[in-house]
Amino acid sequence: MKDKLIKLLEPLGYPVRLQGSLNPDEEYPETFFTFWNFETPEGSFYDNAAHEAIWGFWLYLYSDDASVLEKVLEEARHVLITNNWIAAGRGEDVASDVNTHTGRMIEVYYIENYESEA
């Protein structure tokens, strides 16, 4: 599912990385996405088996230009929603590890139906 998320976001033109995967010696890109899979519970239990997984991700956007944060994150939100992802809200501010960048994040979900995804 991480690959699906990356493939949907890459056409927006910004790097997409797993949260925490930047090398400490690597400079932050001007604007970039990171994500973290915070939960993946299963659901729709019948016939003694799970029939779906609910993938939950925190999607972060960091930039050295605060004016692009809301616009680009809204573009990402639109791309995800039109590809059957669920966006839980419009986003919120997040802290950055460096003083050159600010950030915003949204919580997104994808429901993987085992029967239709097989």
Side-chain angles (χ1 to χ4, degrees), residues 24-82:
D25 299 327
E26 189 177 350
E27 281 192 38
Y28 277 26
E30 290 177 9
T31 301
F32 64 102
F33 289 101
T34 66
F35 63 90
W36 188 254
N37 175 217
F38 67 88
E39 69 175 353
T40 312
E42 291 185 305
S44 294
F45 291 95
Y46 49 92
D47 299 330
N48 297 321
H51 292 269
E52 69 184 17
I54 304 164
W55 293 82
F57 290 91
W58 292 319
L59 176 62
Y60 301 86
L61 178 68
Y62 294 101
S63 182
D64 61 2
D65 180 356
S67 69
V68 305
L69 290 173
E70 286 187 37
K71 176 183 171 283
V72 173
L73 196 58
E74 184 58 29
E75 289 173 5
R77 184 178 176 278
H78 176 75
V79 165
L80 293 169
I81 289 170
T82 57

